[in-house]
Amino acid sequence: MNRLMTSALALTVMAGAAQAADDVKLQLKWVTQAQFAGYYVALEKGFYEAEGLNVTIMAGGPDIAPTQVIAGGGADVVIDWMPPALAAREKGLPLVNIAQPFKSSGMMLTCLAETGITAPADFKGHTLGVWFFGNEYPFLSWMSTLGLSTAGGADGVTVLKQGFNVDPLLQKQADCISTMTYNEYWQVIDAGIAPDQLVTFKYEDQGVATLEDGLYVMEANLADPAFVDKMVRFVRASMLGWKYAEANPDEAAMIVLDNDETGAQTEAHQKRMMAEVARLTAGSNGALDPADFDRTVATLMAGGSDPVITALPVGAWTHMITDLALK
């Protein structure tokens, strides 16, 4: 038995060495930053190469929607939040979550303490900054559960379409703005506002958190054994990258900086971001927790007369890849 296993392993290694590396195009949800450190670490540490993969990581930005990129055939796999992925699926784009490196949500509303807001019930009558392009879905579901209209007025909230910056809070155009624990919150702090001048509401703490930064592919591709095999190797190497990044956050941040072609990121910001991101990936081995999926779906369907999705998704995630990648 041992000789047979040894022979089989040797044949596998020889076959892998003889084959050319398989190309994989990964589309990020946003620009190059520590939010995606695990993938850059896997690239730089040779984890992808060891799996026979030639991975191209494509940075995102304000004008790049991962769902549109993969729909147009521009990527094999994309990183996206589950709300826009499920919304796109219901509208006819058959995306499937194949892995979920992020266990917790980093999304929150950050408010100026001087507004008098101390609890979600205090949002009424205030102006709240909200990201759109698919990022608004968790917010809209949350407001629905609070019974607050987003049409403005004394009994609702006024929604300010927020750019991907913190200017509305700094300029006092909004009383609260959308921030991530690992990014925009610290931009507010760096702008000179002290933590005790802020009040934050994490979606995770409010029970309305939805899954973020999952890996998605087109459903039809999962019928192709060669594609499945490629994704198994990709997920396995990516999770090695994530766990290495968690254990070595400063090194991971520097790897991200080395891959930032814009030169816009700073060492201090990326190291701080990586420390926060590690808290969100902690506890995940890459396999989607069905309970987290159910919670996300329940949040998205709690929109009263205007839910993000109108029916329970079927086939929107699979353990096919992670079962093979993590065994």
Side-chain angles (χ1 to χ4, degrees), residues 29 80-81 84 107 130-139 164 178 203:
K29 181 174 174 61
D80 209 345
W81 290 1
M107 197 171 185
V130 181
W131 292 318
F132 278 73
F133 302 103
N135 303 309
E136 74 273 23
Y137 295 136
F139 169 83
F164 293 99
S178 299
Y203 281 57

Side-chain angles (χ1 to χ4, degrees), residues 164-209:
F164 293 99
N165 56 56
V166 299
D167 293 348
L169 194 74
L170 302 181
Q171 298 169 5
K172 298 189 177 180
Q173 298 168 330
D175 303 305
C176 308
I177 59 170
S178 299
T179 62
M180 302 303 290
T181 57
Y182 51 80
N183 196 2
E184 290 79 12
Y185 171 79
W186 296 103
Q187 292 176 20
V188 175
I189 299 298
D190 289 342
I193 299 180
D196 61 6
Q197 295 176 290
L198 300 169
V199 179
T200 59
F201 300 95
K202 294 182 179 179
Y203 281 57
E204 197 78 45
D205 295 341
Q206 299 301 319
V208 292

Side-chain angles (χ1 to χ4, degrees), residues 222-243:
L222 292 174
D224 178 3
F227 181 84
V228 168
D229 175 65
K230 189 162 64 172
M231 287 300 102
V232 167
R233 289 178 282 141
F234 172 76
V235 168
R236 183 161 52 223
S238 296
M239 290 313 300
L240 280 176
W242 272 119
K243 295 311 162 183

Side-chain angles (χ1 to χ4, degrees), residues 51 76 79 181 188 212 230 234 247 263 265 270 315:
E51 291 285 357
D76 299 295
I79 298 168
T181 57
V188 175
E212 298 164 1
K230 189 162 64 172
F234 172 76
Q265 306 295 357
Q270 289 309 299

Side-chain angles (χ1 to χ4, degrees), residues 15 22 24 34 80 155 160 170-171 219-220 242 255-257 265 281-282 320 325:
D22 292 318
V24 174
D80 209 345
D155 293 327
L160 174 69
L170 302 181
Q171 298 169 5
E219 186 171 353
W242 272 119
I255 289 174
V256 170
L257 279 175
Q265 306 295 357
T281 56
M320 176 197 307

